[in-house]
Amino acid sequence: MKSSVLLLLLCAAVLTVVTLASEAYPSGYDTASCDVDLLPVRQEVYDGGRIFDISHRYTPDMPSFDSDEGIGQFLWLPQSMKNGSIANNSEMKMQTHTGTHVDAPGHVFDHYFDAGFDVDTLDLEVLNGPALLVDVPRNKNITAEVMESLNIPKGVRRVLFRTLNTDRRLMFTKKFDTSYVGFTQDGAKWLVENTNIKLVGIDYLSVAAYSDLLSAHYAFLKGRETILVEGLKLDDIKPGIYSVHCLPLRLFGAEGSPIRCILIKG
Ligand SMILES: *[C@@H]1O[C@H](CO)[C@@H](O)[C@H](O)[C@H]1NC(C)=O
Ligand SMILES: *[C@@H]1O[C@H](CO)[C@@H](O)[C@H](O)[C@H]1NC(C)=O
Ligand SMILES: *[C@H]1O[C@H](CO)[C@@H](O)[C@H](O)[C@H]1NC(C)=O
C-alpha cells in the first residue's frame, strides 16, 4: 500500500519532468505515459539540455520516400516468450534509406557501388566533430544564392541545415511530400566548390530538392568526400555550434544505413 503510493508520487514527479522537458523542447513525440509498475523513460534531451537526440524514432507511420503509406510494419517477433520461447527475439526489415539515415557514394553512382564505396567506408572523423546548426531562409530551396547568403565561415566542416521541413513537421507526417526543401543542383555545386563542408545534414528524407533529386546528389557524392545525413530531427534546438556524433551501421555492401545522431552542447 505504502509503496504503491510512493510509486504513484514518483510517477507524477517523472511525468512533470517529462512534461517540462517537452515544453522546453517539444520534439513532437508524446512521452507522457504512466504505468505505476513499469515506467520506461523516453527522452529527446539528456543531461539537462546538454545532449540532444537528433534522430527520429522508427515507427510504422514515419514517412517513406515517394510513398503515401509510411514505412509500414518493419518489426516482427517470430520468437516470443508468449508462445514458449525462452526470450523475445525480433526481426526487422526496412529500406536502408529509412528515417534518419546516411547516403554513401554508391547510392547514385553504380561504379562506386561496384567498387565497394558502401557505408562501411564512410569516415567516422567526418561524421563526428564540431558542427554548425543553421537556419535557412524559409521561402526558398537551398540554391547557390542561398548558400552564399548564409556566410558560413570557411573552416566549418559539418553543417546541419534546418529548413521549412522542420516547421512543416514533414518527418512526423506519414504521407511523403514532394514539396520539401532541399538543395538544388547549383546549391550543392556551390557548397562543394566554395566551402570545406564535408558533412551535410538536412531535416527531410533527401538533401536534394525533389526537382533536382539526382543532379544535386551527383554534385555532392561525385567527389566521394561529402557525407549526406538525411531525415534529421532538428526541432527546438538553438542554432549554433555543437559537437555532432553520427554513427551508421557497418552494413557491408550497403549504399545507405539508418544512423543515430546526437548533438552535444559546448
Ligand atoms: C510465435 O508467435 C509469433 C507471433 O507472436 C508467431 O509469428 C510465431 O509463428 C509463433 N511461433 C510458434 C512456434 O508458434
Ligand atoms: C522547393 O522545391 C520544390 C520542388 O522540388 C517545390 O515544390 C517547393 O515549393 C520549393 N520550396 C520552396 C520553399 O521554394
Ligand atoms: C516478449 O515477452 C514478454 C513476456 O512474455 C512480453 O511481456 C512482451 O510483450 C513480449 N514482447 C513483445 C514485443 O511481444
Side-chain angles (χ1 to χ4, degrees), residues 138-141 164 178-181 209-211:
R138 295 311 203 238
N139 59 345
K140 290 184 185 122
N141 277 288
L164 184 63
T178 59
S179 72
Y180 67 88
V181 166
Y210 199 70
S211 53

Side-chain angles (χ1 to χ4, degrees), residues 103-110 112 213-214 217-218 221-222 255:
D103 286 354
H107 186 34
V108 291
F109 289 101
D110 212 26
Y112 289 164
L213 202 51
L214 283 176
H217 271 98
Y218 291 150
L221 294 178
K222 189 163 191 259
E255 77 303 325

Side-chain angles (χ1 to χ4, degrees), residues 76-85:
W76 289 264
L77 194 62
Q79 291 173 27
S80 78
M81 298 175 76
K82 284 196 185 63
N83 62 7
S85 219

Side-chain angles (χ1 to χ4, degrees), residues 13-30:
V14 171
L15 261 186
T16 311
V17 171
V18 167
T19 309
L20 281 177
S22 59
E23 267 163 18
Y25 309 103
S27 298
Y29 296 118
D30 184 10

